[in-house]
Amino acid sequence: MKLIRFGEPGHERPGIVDPSGAIRALGALVDDISGEHLSRAALGRIAAVDPDSLPVVPPHVRIGPCVATVRNFISVGLNYVDHALESNAPIPPEPVLFNKLTSCVSGPDDPIVLMKGSEKTDWEVEVAMVIGEPAYLADEAEALSAVAGFCVCHDVSEREFQLERGGQWMKGKSGPTYGPLGPWLVTPDELDVGNLDLWLDVNGQRMQTGNTARMIFSFAKIVSYISRFMKLMPGDVITTGTPRGVGMAMNPPRFLKAGDVVTLGVTGLGQQRQSVVPHRTV
């Protein structure tokens, strides 16, 4: 299934994408695509409904973040071999964890609003997991049973704030609009998660290409590892790292500026498009 949320910011409604690509409204079944509706049982009830029986949503509606009320937004850094090498960082022996604050979450095609004073806002295409079942001390073999679905994440990153302001990566990772999610939340049965292509363009120029086969730590390993330290709960989002091609690794470095357009996508998960705009109160 491809689950989706549509409508104006703060007023999104739940939907499902039918085989033709049309959005069908799910409001008669669930009030939103949120943690309480992401368990295996809840997803099974949605899957049992014939999409043709649901109302069609008019085209050109705004698409919101594919999951509502994100509880925790956990990120894995340096998780692709080629990105660790381009960052002049050693291959990590354990997953590198940091947080994005949930106030950064935005829709897949909403503008990226530059943080005040930003000179080094960078791009990172990633695959994110959304948790559907509680997971604590999960064995790697069972870890993916806790995952409701996967989605595209743009881990927008202000590198000066992240790396040059005294520690705590989240300072450069959590600006409003710095965490686009979606367009779809895709259930695992539709994907070969070990072989997903990722790509990102800036102004039509290809910057990043990669494949999840190049991840240092697998999706299952990541869920199992994180669950050693905290109890993952339905609605939590885990974004899993980016391939090579980020702006800070270029010579000279290149960063986003107002007027740029970023497009990115992942096999089976859809694509995003964001215009970059100057700082404003969001």
Side-chain angles (χ1 to χ4, degrees):
M1 286 188 300
K2 295 180 176 72
L3 301 175
I4 197 167
R5 300 175 66 247
F6 61 92
E8 293 306 305
H11 301 281
E12 292 93 346
R13 289 164 286 167
I16 189 170
V17 180
D18 72 17
S20 75
I23 299 173
R24 303 279 183 154
L26 275 177
L29 298 174
V30 295
D31 56 8
D32 212 336
I33 307 300
S34 55
E36 64 189 291
H37 301 299
L38 294 177
S39 68
R40 288 185 292 275
L43 292 176
R45 288 191 290 271
I46 295 173
V49 175
D50 179 1
D52 289 343
S53 69
L54 302 172
V56 176
V57 175
H60 310 303
V61 67
R62 172 188 173 266
I63 305 303
C66 60
V67 61
T69 319
V70 176
R71 300 179 70 261
N72 294 298
F73 200 158
I74 304 163
S75 303
V76 181
L78 301 172
N79 192 37
Y80 284 72
V81 175
D82 48 8
H83 177 53
L85 293 176
E86 74 170 352
S87 301
N88 295 314
I91 303 300
E94 299 184 32
V96 175
L97 304 182
F98 61 94
N99 283 91
K100 291 173 77 76
L101 299 189
T102 59
S103 56
C104 78
V105 173
S106 59
D109 300 329
D110 292 344
I112 295 171
V113 181
L114 294 173
M115 295 174 71
K116 185 176 182 180
S118 170
E119 299 289 341
K120 298 182 179 180
T121 290
D122 205 346
W123 54 82
E124 296 190 41
V125 57
E126 306 198 3
V127 177
M129 299 179 277
V130 179
I131 299 298
E133 302 277 353
Y136 182 57
L137 301 176
D139 292 334
E140 190 170 337
E142 67 184 30
L144 288 186
S145 66
V147 175
F150 296 80
C151 64
V152 181
C153 173
H154 190 182
D155 178 19
V156 186
S157 306
E158 213 301 337
R159 300 301 189 186
E160 179 190 357
F161 301 170
Q162 175 191 357
L163 301 171
E164 303 173 31
R165 298 293 294 272
Q168 296 298 332
W169 284 12
M170 68 179 182
K171 290 190 293 189
K173 297 282 190 171
S174 301
T177 74
Y178 276 39
L181 296 175
W184 312 317
L185 178 63
V186 183
T187 51
D189 57 292
E190 293 203 6
L191 300 165
D192 175 6
V193 295
N195 185 30
L196 300 178
D197 291 322
L198 302 85
W199 59 272
L200 182 144
D201 296 347
V202 179
N203 300 329
Q205 180 181 358
R206 182 59 46 93
M207 298 298 182
Q208 289 188 275
T209 57
N211 188 283
T212 53
R214 295 284 287 168
M215 290 169 62
I216 298 168
F217 304 105
S218 69
F219 295 107
K221 176 68 175 180
I222 289 167
V223 173
S224 176
Y225 180 83
I226 294 172
S227 78
R228 299 180 195 178
F229 307 105
M230 63 199 77
K231 186 175 184 179
L232 294 167
M233 295 295 290
D236 288 351
V237 172
I238 304 171
T239 193
T240 58
T242 198
R244 70 181 305 276
V246 298
M248 73 171 180
M250 294 182 172
N251 186 18
R254 176 176 172 179
F255 299 108
L256 294 172
K257 62 185 184 301
D260 286 342
V261 176
V262 185
T263 52
L264 59 148
V266 179
T267 305
L269 300 180
Q271 68 179 51
Q272 303 183 353
R273 182 186 187 278
Q274 296 118 23
S275 298
V276 181
V277 302
H279 169 75
R280 64 173 188 250
T281 301
V282 179

